[in-house]
Amino acid sequence: MKRFFRILLVFALMLTLAACNKEAGFPEVNDNDKVDLTYDDVLDEFDGVAIDNQVLKIDLDADIEAEGLNVSLDGSAHFGSGAVMLNLKLAGDMPEGNLDGEATIYANNTGLYFNGAVDIDAEGMKMSIEGKYKLDDMVDGFFDEDIDLNEFLELDFTEMFADEQFKKLVEEYEGLTFYKNGNKFQLKLIVTNELLLANKELLLELLDMGEPTDGQEIDLEFVLTIEDKKLTALGVRLDLTDPTEDLKVSLTLTANVVSEMPEFPTDLEEYEPFDMMSLFMEE
């Protein structure tokens, strides 16, 4: 079960990109579809579930404050069987510096391409990249064959949830609810301070958290949508404040299956070879 939450974290870190999905939005549940399920019922619902090999679109909206770091991230990512497109926008302050930038990154079997401008000034080191560049060897061979998203992400929901920890969650935790309507199945998990304090032994291990501290506030919502045994949408909302760590995080992440990859630019052949030394600005 913890592996499932690690995959969510990988999504967030890989894509520390952001903006909640403008097309499909955060997956919502209908209270009229709420059902009571046993642990075995839930395993049956997840048995054989996979991601449809179309295009996985992930969006994230994040604001992070921690010990001198104050960063906002905004963007989106499309993952297809033979291509990836990332759109990023980030701005903020770091200890002894700042960062600012906006860029689009394209990757396919011809190379990795960058179009944008990013400036980083931190602890006396300045780096800058602006323009259109190609980085050939960064993805050498990676897209030579079509990528199966299920194999790439190592998704096996039956294996993820077939443990005592998840069984306890299904049987004991009031913040985990299920919804069914025809061939559509949804799981919703919420964690608040009140629920965390009432279920510490169960939730602290699941979320890989330490004991709650004075002033800590958490508000987590996670929704997973499955239709016809296909994962079609996922959403995570998190607001976390921990004064003892000088930490404040607010993020919304969504993942949705869409039918098409956005079109790549027609001028990729004109992108210049990338020179690593061009990152460093002269004083």
Side-chain angles (χ1 to χ4, degrees), residues 7-279:
I7 287 177
L8 295 183
L9 181 60
V10 168
F11 272 136
L13 293 177
M14 283 174 54
L15 302 168
T16 313
L17 320 167
C20 59
N21 195 312
K22 307 288 193 300
E23 296 175 1
F26 194 93
E28 302 292 341
V29 299
N30 186 335
D31 286 337
N32 293 329
D33 297 334
K34 187 175 179 180
V35 292
D36 293 323
L37 298 179
T38 66
Y39 172 65
D40 289 336
D41 291 335
V42 176
L43 289 186
D44 287 341
E45 292 293 339
F46 281 110
D47 184 36
V49 169
I51 295 179
D52 198 331
N53 274 305
Q54 297 188 60
V55 175
L56 182 65
K57 183 175 188 286
I58 301 181
D59 298 88
L60 172 71
D61 182 14
D63 293 293
I64 303 169
E65 298 179 24
E67 296 183 352
L69 181 73
N70 188 346
V71 178
S72 295
L73 306 119
D74 182 23
S76 64
H78 289 78
F79 291 87
S81 62
V84 173
M85 180 187 292
L86 309 178
N87 294 286
L88 327 175
K89 185 176 181 181
L90 56 121
D93 298 318
M94 301 184 296
E96 301 183 32
N98 58 73
L99 60 95
D100 184 69
E102 186 170 0
T104 302
I105 297 171
Y106 312 93
N108 59 21
N109 61 1
T110 66
L112 180 70
Y113 303 86
F114 172 96
N115 180 8
V118 177
D119 294 310
I120 300 175
D121 182 355
E123 298 182 345
M125 182 176 65
K126 294 184 178 182
M127 292 187 296
S128 178
I129 178 172
E130 181 174 0
K132 298 180 178 181
Y133 296 100
K134 180 181 180 182
L135 299 84
D136 294 279
D137 55 357
M138 294 285 288
V139 292
D140 187 29
F142 189 76
F143 293 105
D144 288 348
E145 299 179 4
D146 286 346
I147 298 172
D148 185 302
L149 290 174
N150 297 282
E151 294 180 2
F152 181 69
L153 296 172
E154 298 182 350
L155 290 182
D156 185 337
F157 288 100
T158 305
E159 179 184 343
M160 286 180 194
F161 296 129
D163 65 21
E164 286 300 314
Q165 192 176 30
F166 184 61
K167 184 178 181 181
K168 275 184 166 182
L169 203 68
V170 172
E171 296 174 345
E172 302 175 15
Y173 185 53
E174 61 185 287
L176 180 65
T177 49
F178 306 100
Y179 306 81
K180 287 194 67 173
N181 188 331
N183 292 326
K184 181 178 180 180
F185 169 72
Q186 291 179 289
L187 174 153
K188 180 179 179 180
L189 174 73
I190 59 171
V191 178
T192 62
N193 266 34
E194 182 179 354
L195 287 170
L196 180 59
L197 291 173
N199 300 271
K200 283 200 300 182
E201 183 177 347
L202 180 61
L203 291 178
L204 291 181
E205 183 179 358
L206 174 68
L207 300 175
D208 198 18
M209 292 177 59
E211 285 284 333
T213 58
D214 291 340
Q216 178 178 295
E217 297 285 341
I218 184 170
D219 189 357
L220 169 69
E221 178 183 9
F222 168 70
V223 178
L224 183 74
T225 301
I226 293 167
E227 297 186 61
D228 296 318
K229 292 293 183 177
K230 299 293 185 183
L231 174 63
T232 59
L234 175 153
V236 180
R237 289 193 185 110
L238 173 65
D239 287 292
L240 175 65
T241 301
D242 187 346
T244 63
E245 298 291 338
D246 193 21
L247 175 67
K248 186 175 182 180
V249 176
S250 177
L251 70 84
T252 301
L253 179 146
T254 61
N256 293 272
V257 174
V258 297
S259 59
E260 295 181 353
M261 172 75 70
E263 291 186 7
F264 278 27
T266 57
D267 64 343
L268 292 180
E269 293 183 357
E270 301 173 13
Y271 281 40
E272 300 176 10
F274 181 69
D275 178 10
M276 183 64 71
M277 294 305 298
S278 66
L279 281 175

